[in-house]
């Protein structure tokens, strides 16, 4: 007998005492919890996102479409970045002016080459106000998961209010589980040394989130 | 709190096979170490109290916490009730997404499967993101025996591994090391395993974290095989999720060419939407954050993004035996948040080592004796490592009634009776007159002799037990209607205590321990 059969057989015998139960999943799981917490206008939801992002030590900037390229260029320059990784589908009009060397998100790029890139700019799939979270789904403006992991400086552009939801349940409804997903809430952190919080261990130590209004 | 893998950073003493109960002393013997070490006690107390207060604040932000907790309970109970069906659905969806599913009935089989998979890649080193399942089965030791080196990549684990030492605390496994000692360990040991520590390394946490970053980065960038666990698996989509803080999880999950995930069969949820519950309850219960810094979710393999080969090893190793116990099966709902540890007055005083398992604290006290059986001294004594105060139940995000299971397991130790071991029905002998009974007695005496543990417990529990219904209403009924929930404190335990407790037999040294 295969271990698969062994385990499945054990499960069935283990449950022999339980009264027959054909309650469908939809009835067995009652979702008495809220879809979102609190009543907020769209503007207040965006404000809450900014507040919670900052609370977890992301650097938050607010701008609009016209001023976005200038802001991105300034953020890169301020950081002294010599190279910047750009996913294939990043809107061309986000980038303008004097920029560091652009590196394409190429499948041939080895981890070691990636490690020499200073910064990365991406969009996102959705942002969650209640938790201060951005979610990447490897879409064309976000690229493969590794490009937002190895470089030490990540700039993530969120289109507001279109990409902002209030809550985790609202976010899940917008996401496709077939895609690889990365949920990011502030830069990586550890408290392993004397319970002192240190930002940035293996992921980017600096996370900058740019909220850019769509109108 | 701890760097990686939200949930319980495991501790398995590197010198001992991870899950070999007979070699370990019974609960109270191991507890002495923590009780007699004032620094460790102070650090433990600081850590548990800090995170306890933060958790309460994080939970109070959500006014529907009770409903989220109830939904979490229902999801897990429903899944366990139909576990065979959902496991088959998971197998199908993972396979359809490009993954390969393996089934392991016990630790040896899981270790054989993983070792074989690593060997097939031709590699002799792997990077690991901390996982309790792999510590439970002693995977690192099994790999080492075949000449494969497993690098733990969590910062605390690195400190412990480099220091050739045992983790001392579950939230912050290296809390017994101060910054100066960590600097010395890094300076002396890093060069033996890879990139040396930077010249003139200081002892500020930021510089130490930077040294760890550089040391481990070299390993991440060249790693060909990654090994992980998972916090959740979704049957309908085949998605796995890992919650973490440091980013070493993301490294292990995305840079290697081959990913092997070893996951207990109870980690399953039926639908994608179910994650909306646990994404809210796990981070707040565990590290007391609205959300942990990183959560990775993946479904099989994706072209040009992440590992090209993905293996999922589904682990039983005592879980189906636990499922066969009508009271004890609720322990399989556990999402390893560690909230129950932080509120437990016994854990705070005894320390993590005392539980003799990768699963310490209240959840360890009910899980280890079920996964491993109650034959050994340590496992027979664990159900007594509690004052039954109920604080663990109150904070548990999936409403596991830990005191109820403890009482049930005490009855099993004392009275024996039917149980299931490795899938076979067995009848356990009563512990009466055997070594197991003496071990149990010592643990019970320890708890009773530490009035601080009892008093703190009663304070924490005030009002809790009143709220516990005698039988669960609604859909939970189908699951729990087979028996009423017991009253607390239970008579069988009291009677047993009267019978076995001899007032003259106390060691005076023990009695004083808690009065310092
Ligand atoms: S038993 Fe409950 S509180 Fe304890 S670790 Fe498991 S889920 Fe968390």
């Amino acid at each position: 007998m295969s271990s698969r059969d062994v385990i499945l057989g054990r499960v069935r015998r283990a449950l022999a005492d339980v009264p027959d139960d054909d309650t469908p999943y939809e009835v067995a799981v009652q979702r008495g919890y809220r879809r979102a917490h609190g009543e907020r206008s769209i503007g207040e939801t965006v404000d809450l996102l900014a507040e919670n992002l900052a609370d977890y030590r992301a650097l938050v900037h607010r701008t609009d479409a016209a001023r976005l390229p200038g802001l991105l260029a300034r953020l890169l320059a301020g950081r002294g970045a010599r190279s910047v990784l750009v996913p294939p589908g990043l809107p061309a009009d986000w980038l303008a002016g004097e920029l560091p060397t652009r590196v394409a998100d190429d499948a041939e790029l080895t981890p070691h080459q990636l490690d020499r890139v200073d910064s990365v700019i991406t969009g996102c799939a959705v942002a969650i106000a209640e938790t201060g979270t951005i979610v990447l789904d490897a879409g064309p403006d976000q690229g493969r998961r590794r490009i937002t992991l190895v470089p030490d400086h990540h700039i993530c552009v969120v289109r507001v209010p279109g990409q902002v939801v209030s809550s985790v349940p609202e976010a899940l409804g917008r996401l496709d589980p077939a895609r690889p997903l990365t949920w990011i809430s502030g830069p990586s952190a550890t408290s392993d040394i004397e319970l002192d919080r240190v930002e940035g261990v293996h992921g980017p130590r600096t996370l900058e989130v740019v909220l850019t209004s769509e109108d | 709190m701890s760097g990686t893998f939200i949930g319980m950073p495991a501790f398995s003493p590197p010198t001992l096979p991870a899950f070999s109960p007979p070699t370990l002393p019974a609960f109270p013997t191991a507890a002495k170490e923590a009780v007699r070490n004032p620094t460790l006690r102070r650090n433990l107390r600081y850590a548990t109290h800090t995170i306890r207060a933060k958790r309460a604040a994080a939970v109070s932000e959500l006014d529907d916490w009770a409903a989220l907790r109830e939904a979490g309970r229902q999801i897990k109970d429903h899944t366990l009730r139909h576990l065979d069906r959902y496991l088959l659905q998971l197998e199908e969806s993972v396979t359809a997404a490009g993954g390969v599913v393996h089934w392991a009935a016990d630790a040896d089989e899981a270790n054989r499967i993983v070792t074989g998979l690593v060997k097939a890649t031709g590699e002799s080193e792997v990077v690991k993101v901390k996982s309790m399942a792999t510590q439970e089965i002693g995977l690192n030791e099994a790999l080492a025996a075949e000449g494969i080196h497993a690098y733990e990549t969590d910062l605390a684990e690195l400190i412990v591994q480099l220091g050739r030492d045992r983790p001392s605390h579950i939230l912050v496994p290296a809390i017994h090391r101060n910054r100066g000692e960590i600097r010395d360990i890094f300076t002396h040991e890093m060069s033996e395993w890879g990139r040396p520590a930077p010249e003139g390394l200081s002892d500020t946490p930021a510089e130490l974290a930077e040294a760890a970053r550089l040391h481990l980065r070299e390993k991440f960038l060249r790693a060909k095989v990654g090994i992980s666990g998972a916090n959740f698996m979704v049957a309908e989509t085949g998605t796995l999720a890992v919650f973490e803080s440091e980013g070493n999880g993301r490294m292990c999950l995305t840079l290697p060419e081959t990913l092997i995930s070893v996951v207990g069969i109870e980690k399953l949820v039926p639908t994608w939407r179910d994650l909306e519950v646990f994404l809210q309850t796990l981070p707040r219960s565990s590290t007391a954050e609205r959300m942990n810094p990183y959560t990775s979710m993946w479904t099989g393999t994706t072209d040009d993004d992440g590992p090209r080969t993905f293996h999922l090893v589904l682990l039983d190793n005592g879980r189906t035996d636990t499922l066969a116990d009508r009271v004890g099966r609720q322990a399989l709902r556990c999402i390893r948040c560690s909230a129950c540890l932080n509120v437990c007055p016994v854990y705070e005083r005894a320390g993590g080592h005392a539980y003799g398992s990768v699963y310490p604290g209240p959840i360890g006290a009910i899980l280890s004796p079920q996964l491993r059986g109650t034959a050994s001294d340590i496992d027979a004594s664990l159900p007594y490592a509690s004052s039954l105060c109920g604080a663990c139940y109150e904070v548990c995000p999936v409403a596991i009634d830990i005191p109820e299971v403890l009482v049930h397991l005490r009855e099993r130790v004392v009275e024996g009776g039917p149980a299931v071991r490795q899938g076979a029905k067995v009848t356990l002998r009563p512990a009466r007159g055997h070594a197991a009974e003496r071990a149990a007695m010592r643990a019970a005496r320890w708890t009773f002799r530490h009035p601080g543990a009892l008093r703190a417990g009663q304070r924490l529990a005030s009002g809790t037990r009143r709220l516990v219904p005698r039988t669960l209403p609604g859909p939970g009924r189908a699951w729990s209607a087979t028996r009423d929930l017991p009253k607390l404190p239970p008579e069988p335990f009291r009677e047993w205590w009267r019978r076995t407790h001899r007032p003259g037999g106390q060691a005076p040294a023990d009695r004083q321990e808690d009065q310092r």
Side-chain angles (χ1 to χ4, degrees), chain B residues 1-77:
Chain B
M1 207 78 206
S2 164
T4 288
F5 238 105
I6 215 172
M8 294 192 276
F11 69 99
S12 66
T15 49
L16 291 171
F19 228 53
S20 59
T23 63
L24 296 168
F27 176 82
T29 313
K32 281 183 185 140
E33 180 193 346
V35 172
R36 288 190 180 144
N37 180 340
T39 312
L40 184 54
R41 279 194 61 176
R42 202 171 44 241
N43 290 351
L44 264 167
R45 193 181 149 78
Y46 174 61
T48 55
H49 283 244
T50 305
I51 193 129
R52 187 194 293 176
K54 276 183 68 189
R55 187 207 77 98
V59 165
S60 71
E61 281 187 8
L62 302 184
D63 60 1
D64 58 344
W65 185 259
L68 284 164
R69 182 179 187 239
E70 176 61 9
R73 185 187 70 75
Q74 291 175 354
I75 291 166
K76 285 288 192 174
D77 273 355

Side-chain angles (χ1 to χ4, degrees), chain B residues 8 285 333-341 363 366 392 395-400 402:
Chain B
M8 294 192 276
S285 298
R333 292 203 297 259
C334 176
I335 57 173
R336 312 275 190 263
C337 71
S338 83
C340 56
L341 283 98
I363 180 62
I366 62 169
C392 48
V395 296
C396 178
V398 285
I400 298 172
I402 294 176

Side-chain angles (χ1 to χ4, degrees), chain A residues 3 25 33 37 177 194 205, chain B residues 64 109 179 210 274 276 299:
Chain A
S3 290
Y25 164 82
Y33 52 88
H37 299 86
E194 295 186 5
R205 282 177 289 191
Chain B
D64 58 344
E109 186 174 18
R179 56 185 75 193
E210 163 79 7
D274 293 328
E276 73 190 21
T299 303

